[in-house]
Amino acid sequence: MVPFFSVIIPSFNSSHYISNTLGSLKQQTFKDFEVIVVDDFSNDYLQLSDIVDGFNVSLNIQLFWHTENRNGAAARNTGVDKASGLYLAFLDSDDVW
């Protein structure tokens, strides 16, 4: 089934605050969405991966990595390419809904 929304989260060295971002998605009452996190060649990608795995039980999260730092716009574009939702929503890794 195609999700209604694809929430695209670009990430760069954000492991110390992305838990708040993912936690805010977990608390949404509307649940018909997928979450796409794109790491832009961070130094903390292992920690980010662990955090995403912890939230993957309750959220439909896909995690992708760039093999070189390409910038936030490129990470968003990667998320768009991977998205399958009818609509796109962008959420920065240090923001909450």
Side-chain angles (χ1 to χ4, degrees):
M1 186 173 165
V2 175
F4 196 67
F5 283 100
S6 294
V7 180
I8 299 168
I9 304 173
S11 174
F12 182 74
N13 292 334
S14 63
S15 66
H16 57 281
Y17 43 76
I18 199 166
S19 290
N20 293 331
T21 303
L22 296 175
S24 75
L25 289 175
K26 183 178 174 181
Q27 293 185 12
Q28 298 301 308
T29 57
F30 184 83
K31 301 289 185 184
D32 190 8
F33 61 88
E34 66 179 350
V35 180
I36 299 171
V37 178
V38 181
D39 181 74
D40 194 31
F41 200 63
S42 296
N43 298 323
D44 64 353
Y45 67 92
L46 292 175
Q47 295 92 335
L48 176 70
S49 180
D50 289 343
I51 292 166
V52 167
D53 284 347
F55 278 94
N56 213 6
V57 172
S58 56
L59 294 172
N60 178 18
I61 304 176
Q62 299 174 64
L63 178 59
F64 299 96
W65 291 274
H66 285 169
T67 57
E68 63 182 2
N69 183 267
R70 296 172 44 200
N71 76 37
R76 285 179 184 85
N77 288 337
T78 298
V80 169
D81 290 342
K82 303 297 183 181
S84 62
L86 295 174
Y87 296 97
L88 304 176
F90 298 96
L91 179 62
D92 286 341
S93 59
D94 61 346
D95 288 342
V96 296
W97 283 349

